Amino acid sequence: MKINGNHIIELGYRQAKWFKEAILHINENNLNEDEMKEYLQQFKQPDPIPLHEKPKDFIINIKAEHESEADNVEKVINTMNVLMKTPTLIEGAIMPDACPTGPSGQIPVGGVVVAKNAIHPGFHSADICCSVMLTDFGKADPKGVLDAAHAATHFGYGGRPRGEQMPMSQELMDAFRENEFLNDERLISIARSHMGTQGDGNHFLFVGISKNTGNTMLVTHHGSRAPGAALYDKGMKVANRFRQEISPETLKENAWIPFDTEEGQSYWEALQLIRKWTKENHTSIHDAVLNALEIEKEDRYWNEHNFVFRDGDLFYHAKGATPLDDKFLPDITGPRLIPLNMAEPVLIVKGTTNERNLGFAPHGAGRNFSRSQHKKSLAHKTIEEIFHEETQGLDVRFFSNEIDISELPSAYKNAKNVRAQIEEYGLCEVLDEVMPYGCIMAGDIQKNAPWKKKKNSQ
């Protein structure tokens, strides 16, 4: 009798890639039952790793200051309770700017979780290494800096057009080609065209004045763009292959790559290269503005707030949380940055690991409502009225020339409440504030998207 996959499953094996090869070998060699069992021993799989019976403990550094925040806080705590049953996790924390990002069990923005010997691509999401960089322009005129930055930066879909691209270092391209996950000429081509771009959504270019020194500061906020998204897609596929084999009960979005595997080592290296690409991307924009104004920078520092940080066999996954502990940052040159919203200062902070923060602080103001909910709440006003009310006294520009009200200050949590909770929970210390002069964001890129123009012209 010819055997099939059901026969192997009946013997206690889980469906796997090797079934096809095993079935062919057994049938071609007419193995009897004892011979078949002996042959299959080489494919014996360990028992599946179960979920934790109870969620691992996590620290709650958030509370509802207003009725409108209650639902958000409840959802954040609920999703963490499901998430913390993931087998690899040992502890976690949520920050004052936390908000849910998807179904129950998915890591929230403002969440920090610690995994043992495992990297979870879903915990850093597609915007790998979303980060902020500050350059001190001394006593330069803030309007001049913003004007030069407007001419130098690029927001929106895709990369820069030919003739306007910023170079990607040869060293980084060579390193991509040596990595299993990044050795893809199409990915490298995209990485080259996306250098010097900031994307869309909540990414920004901000100009302000230091409260301490009076110096003009430029701050950029964006991640690894399409190269990072491509790595995330590859990482999730690998993680889910492991999940199906070793922990099928784990939610798909919480799958992990064991660090002590070849794939785990390669993925960790790929994350570091994407981190280097992102830092180079920020640097390209900042240097272009300095060069246009013929100014030498007085200071510069940066930090990511959406990444995976390693301490021995522990992997700290920060989904929108600012790393404070120096052990997390191999190239640390200064304090950390916490942007709030375009009408509020960028906080310059420092801190260490304590009993509440796991070595992290908030990354910004977060949201209480989705973009669509926020837009509906303001439907009784025109876009121009909302823009005028919320940006008075500021030089706020949208790269697409289309106002995006879902990025105006009212779209975010109350910044004063976030700051008050940072102090209440002792998460970090504010050293300085970059008071807002103006900023540039992508704007409503959906309004006149290329595919819509094409559709309307038909």
Side-chain angles (χ1 to χ4, degrees):
M1 181 183 72
K2 297 286 185 184
I3 71 112
N4 57 37
N6 289 331
H7 294 107
I8 297 178
I9 291 170
E10 286 168 7
L11 291 172
Y13 292 87
R14 297 193 300 277
Q15 181 74 46
K17 282 185 174 181
W18 55 263
F19 268 35
K20 185 176 179 181
E21 175 192 336
I23 292 166
L24 186 64
H25 177 84
I26 293 166
N27 287 328
E28 281 185 350
N29 292 278
N30 294 313
L31 301 186
N32 61 36
E33 188 171 346
D34 289 339
E35 291 170 333
M36 180 172 69
K37 288 179 179 177
E38 185 178 351
Y39 167 75
L40 290 173
Q41 279 296 316
Q42 65 183 301
F43 302 110
K44 195 69 178 174
Q45 299 151 300
D47 291 336
I49 303 171
L51 300 175
H52 296 310
E53 285 188 23
K54 294 180 179 179
K56 289 294 182 180
D57 290 340
F58 59 95
I59 304 157
I60 300 172
N61 297 306
I62 187 174
K63 65 181 181 181
E65 299 279 3
H66 186 271
E67 188 180 340
S68 65
E69 297 179 341
D71 183 60
N72 174 77
V73 172
E74 182 181 355
K75 284 178 179 174
V76 167
I77 293 172
N78 287 344
T79 199
M80 283 293 288
N81 275 318
V82 178
L83 171 69
M84 295 305 293
K85 289 185 176 182
T86 305
T88 58
L89 299 186
I90 60 171
E91 58 183 334
I94 45 179
M95 297 292 155
D97 56 344
C99 54
T101 57
S104 185
Q106 188 163 315
I107 189 169
V109 169
V112 180
V113 292
V114 186
K116 192 171 181 65
N117 199 37
I119 305 172
H120 294 255
F123 294 174
H124 59 55
S125 72
D127 197 12
I128 300 174
C129 201
C130 191
S131 46
V132 275
M133 178 177 279
L134 176 148
T135 295
D136 186 337
F137 277 68
K139 301 303 180 188
D141 171 44
K143 183 180 186 304
V145 173
L146 192 63
D147 287 344
H150 200 159
T153 192
H154 184 281
F155 284 88
Y157 291 115
R160 286 176 174 266
R162 288 189 181 278
E164 297 178 23
Q165 293 181 1
M166 292 185 174
M168 174 179 171
S169 68
Q170 187 63 48
E171 178 187 358
L172 198 49
M173 280 191 281
D174 292 342
F176 271 42
R177 291 188 174 101
E178 292 172 6
N179 180 269
E180 177 187 344
F181 283 92
L182 302 176
N183 183 19
D184 177 333
E185 289 304 318
R186 182 175 178 276
L187 186 154
I188 293 168
S189 175
I190 290 171
R192 295 177 70 177
S193 69
H194 281 232
M195 184 61 70
T197 69
Q198 295 194 248
D200 60 340
N202 64 352
H203 297 160
F204 62 74
L205 187 151
F206 174 101
V207 173
I209 308 296
S210 163
K211 200 172 183 179
N212 288 351
T213 67
N215 286 0
T216 297
M217 311 283 200
L218 184 152
V219 180
T220 49
H221 170 228
H222 58 264
S224 52
R225 307 286 289 110
L231 176 61
Y232 163 75
D233 287 341
K234 292 181 179 184
M236 282 302 295
K237 287 174 184 174
V238 172
N240 268 301
R241 286 205 297 271
F242 277 108
R243 182 188 68 85
Q244 289 163 359
E245 292 179 13
I246 63 178
S247 187
E249 279 189 318
T250 293
L251 294 173
K252 187 175 180 181
E253 55 267 31
N254 297 341
W256 73 87
I257 305 174
F259 179 65
D260 56 4
T261 61
E262 187 177 326
E263 294 92 336
Q265 301 282 318
S266 184
Y267 191 71
W268 176 251
E269 291 168 6
L271 286 173
Q272 308 319 303
L273 292 174
I274 286 294
R275 182 181 188 272
K276 287 181 180 178
W277 184 94
T278 307
K279 186 177 182 182
E280 192 171 294
N281 187 15
H282 280 281
T283 302
S284 295
I285 296 168
H286 286 239
D287 284 354
V289 181
L290 287 167
N291 293 337
L293 296 174
E294 298 181 340
I295 291 174
E296 291 289 329
K297 68 178 185 292
E298 296 204 6
D299 203 355
R300 174 177 291 164
Y301 36 90
W302 87 299
N303 62 263
E304 59 270 62
H305 52 222
N306 195 53
F307 202 59
V308 187
F309 306 87
R310 183 184 176 193
D311 183 16
D313 64 352
L314 300 181
F315 291 82
Y316 290 71
H317 297 73
K319 172 63 180 167
T322 301
L324 297 172
D325 199 312
D326 286 358
K327 69 184 178 183
F328 295 136
L329 301 169
D331 52 0
I332 187 64
T333 60
R336 318 299 191 260
L337 303 165
I338 303 178
L340 296 169
N341 64 58
M342 63 174 65
E344 295 286 340
V346 172
L347 306 181
I348 299 177
V349 306
K350 71 173 184 178
T352 57
T353 299
N354 62 38
E355 69 277 4
R356 295 207 62 87
N357 65 14
L358 298 182
F360 292 82
H363 84 305
R367 295 177 186 268
N368 282 323
F369 306 105
S370 69
R371 294 172 188 274
S372 57
Q373 284 177 304
H374 174 67
K375 287 180 178 180
K376 284 178 184 176
S377 73
L378 297 173
H380 59 289
K381 298 180 182 179
T382 67
I383 290 175
E384 289 71 23
E385 284 173 339
I386 299 164
F387 179 77
H388 177 73
E389 288 174 9
E390 298 199 31
T391 64
Q392 205 160 14
L394 300 174
D395 185 347
V396 174
R397 311 174 186 185
F398 290 104
F399 199 79
S400 64
N401 294 318
E402 297 292 346
I403 297 168
D404 182 358
I405 61 171
S406 70
E407 288 301 334
L408 296 179
S410 65
Y412 288 90
K413 290 189 176 195
N414 184 294
K416 289 182 175 60
N417 290 347
V418 172
R419 291 190 63 170
Q421 290 180 26
I422 288 173
E423 185 174 343
E424 178 180 348
Y425 295 117
L427 301 177
C428 63
E429 176 188 349
V430 178
L431 300 175
D432 192 6
E433 302 174 45
V434 184
M435 308 308 290
Y437 168 81
C439 76
I440 307 165
M441 300 187 79
D444 188 353
I445 59 174
Q446 297 282 347
K447 191 167 184 180
N448 291 306
W451 59 87
K452 289 189 176 180
K453 288 182 178 178
K454 185 177 179 181
K455 187 176 179 182
N456 292 337
S457 66
Q458 289 176 346

